[in-house]
mmCIF file of all heavy atoms in Angstrom:
data_model
loop_
_atom_site.group_PDB
_atom_site.id
_atom_site.type_symbol
_atom_site.label_atom_id
_atom_site.label_comp_id
_atom_site.label_asym_id
_atom_site.label_seq_id
_atom_site.Cartn_x
_atom_site.Cartn_y
_atom_site.Cartn_z
ATOM 1 N N GLU Q 99 -16.099 -11.684 -40.553
ATOM 2 C CA GLU Q 99 -16.059 -12.899 -41.379
ATOM 3 C C GLU Q 99 -17.472 -13.416 -41.736
ATOM 4 O O GLU Q 99 -17.814 -13.776 -42.810
ATOM 5 C CB GLU Q 99 -15.283 -13.985 -40.649
ATOM 6 C CG GLU Q 99 -15.156 -15.256 -41.445
ATOM 7 C CD GLU Q 99 -14.322 -16.283 -40.639
ATOM 8 O OE1 GLU Q 99 -13.242 -15.950 -40.256
ATOM 9 O OE2 GLU Q 99 -14.870 -17.382 -40.450
ATOM 10 N N HIS Q 100 -18.358 -13.406 -40.698
ATOM 11 C CA HIS Q 100 -19.749 -13.904 -40.859
ATOM 12 C C HIS Q 100 -20.473 -13.002 -41.819
ATOM 13 O O HIS Q 100 -21.187 -13.434 -42.707
ATOM 14 C CB HIS Q 100 -20.391 -14.003 -39.529
ATOM 15 C CG HIS Q 100 -21.827 -14.459 -39.593
ATOM 16 N ND1 HIS Q 100 -22.154 -15.758 -39.932
ATOM 17 C CD2 HIS Q 100 -23.028 -13.848 -39.406
ATOM 18 C CE1 HIS Q 100 -23.442 -15.862 -39.984
ATOM 19 N NE2 HIS Q 100 -24.000 -14.712 -39.596
ATOM 20 N N THR Q 101 -20.319 -11.690 -41.704
ATOM 21 C CA THR Q 101 -21.003 -10.710 -42.577
ATOM 22 C C THR Q 101 -20.525 -10.860 -43.966
ATOM 23 O O THR Q 101 -21.279 -10.820 -44.918
ATOM 24 C CB THR Q 101 -20.739 -9.330 -42.049
ATOM 25 O OG1 THR Q 101 -21.130 -9.234 -40.664
ATOM 26 C CG2 THR Q 101 -21.544 -8.310 -42.843
ATOM 27 N N LEU Q 102 -19.231 -11.073 -44.188
ATOM 28 C CA LEU Q 102 -18.673 -11.207 -45.483
ATOM 29 C C LEU Q 102 -19.234 -12.455 -46.186
ATOM 30 O O LEU Q 102 -19.631 -12.455 -47.337
ATOM 31 C CB LEU Q 102 -17.162 -11.247 -45.436
ATOM 32 C CG LEU Q 102 -16.392 -11.403 -46.795
ATOM 33 C CD1 LEU Q 102 -16.693 -10.119 -47.600
ATOM 34 C CD2 LEU Q 102 -14.936 -11.496 -46.515
ATOM 35 N N LYS Q 103 -19.307 -13.587 -45.461
ATOM 36 C CA LYS Q 103 -19.795 -14.803 -46.053
ATOM 37 C C LYS Q 103 -21.343 -14.727 -46.469
ATOM 38 O O LYS Q 103 -21.773 -15.128 -47.468
ATOM 39 C CB LYS Q 103 -19.649 -16.004 -45.107
ATOM 40 C CG LYS Q 103 -18.209 -16.495 -45.030
ATOM 41 C CD LYS Q 103 -18.125 -17.667 -44.110
ATOM 42 C CE LYS Q 103 -16.560 -18.158 -44.080
ATOM 43 N NZ LYS Q 103 -16.467 -19.283 -43.225
ATOM 44 N N THR Q 104 -22.071 -14.000 -45.547
ATOM 45 C CA THR Q 104 -23.466 -13.786 -45.833
ATOM 46 C C THR Q 104 -23.661 -12.913 -47.040
ATOM 47 O O THR Q 104 -24.498 -13.216 -47.916
ATOM 48 C CB THR Q 104 -24.149 -13.137 -44.584
ATOM 49 O OG1 THR Q 104 -23.914 -13.951 -43.490
ATOM 50 C CG2 THR Q 104 -25.616 -13.038 -44.763
ATOM 51 N N ALA Q 105 -22.842 -11.887 -47.245
ATOM 52 C CA ALA Q 105 -22.936 -11.011 -48.345
ATOM 53 C C ALA Q 105 -22.561 -11.763 -49.614
ATOM 54 O O ALA Q 105 -23.195 -11.583 -50.696
ATOM 55 C CB ALA Q 105 -22.009 -9.795 -48.120
ATOM 56 N N GLU Q 106 -21.536 -12.598 -49.602
ATOM 57 C CA GLU Q 106 -21.167 -13.377 -50.757
ATOM 58 C C GLU Q 106 -22.244 -14.368 -51.172
ATOM 59 O O GLU Q 106 -22.498 -14.542 -52.395
ATOM 60 C CB GLU Q 106 -19.809 -14.101 -50.472
ATOM 61 C CG GLU Q 106 -18.619 -13.198 -50.441
ATOM 62 C CD GLU Q 106 -17.337 -13.983 -50.021
ATOM 63 O OE1 GLU Q 106 -17.475 -15.140 -49.695
ATOM 64 O OE2 GLU Q 106 -16.293 -13.336 -49.925
ATOM 65 N N THR Q 107 -22.907 -15.019 -50.217
ATOM 66 C CA THR Q 107 -23.964 -15.908 -50.519
ATOM 67 C C THR Q 107 -25.149 -15.205 -51.134
ATOM 68 O O THR Q 107 -25.671 -15.735 -52.077
ATOM 69 C CB THR Q 107 -24.381 -16.595 -49.185
ATOM 70 O OG1 THR Q 107 -23.283 -17.216 -48.567
ATOM 71 C CG2 THR Q 107 -25.410 -17.668 -49.494
ATOM 72 N N ALA Q 108 -25.487 -14.016 -50.640
ATOM 73 C CA ALA Q 108 -26.581 -13.247 -51.215
ATOM 74 C C ALA Q 108 -26.297 -12.808 -52.587
ATOM 75 O O ALA Q 108 -27.176 -12.842 -53.449
ATOM 76 C CB ALA Q 108 -26.879 -12.069 -50.315
ATOM 77 N N ASP Q 109 -25.060 -12.476 -52.893
ATOM 78 C CA ASP Q 109 -24.675 -12.015 -54.246
ATOM 79 C C ASP Q 109 -24.755 -13.157 -55.216
ATOM 80 O O ASP Q 109 -25.149 -13.030 -56.375
ATOM 81 C CB ASP Q 109 -23.298 -11.372 -54.247
ATOM 82 C CG ASP Q 109 -23.317 -9.975 -53.608
ATOM 83 O OD1 ASP Q 109 -24.413 -9.400 -53.497
ATOM 84 O OD2 ASP Q 109 -22.234 -9.504 -53.252
ATOM 85 N N ALA Q 110 -24.317 -14.385 -54.753
ATOM 86 C CA ALA Q 110 -24.304 -15.545 -55.654
ATOM 87 C C ALA Q 110 -25.717 -16.003 -55.982
ATOM 88 O O ALA Q 110 -26.001 -16.379 -57.127
ATOM 89 C CB ALA Q 110 -23.512 -16.659 -54.980
#
Side-chain angles (χ1 to χ4, degrees):
E99 181 180 305
H100 181 67
T101 305
L102 182 62
K103 285 183 180 179
T104 305
E106 288 174 356
T107 306
D109 287 340

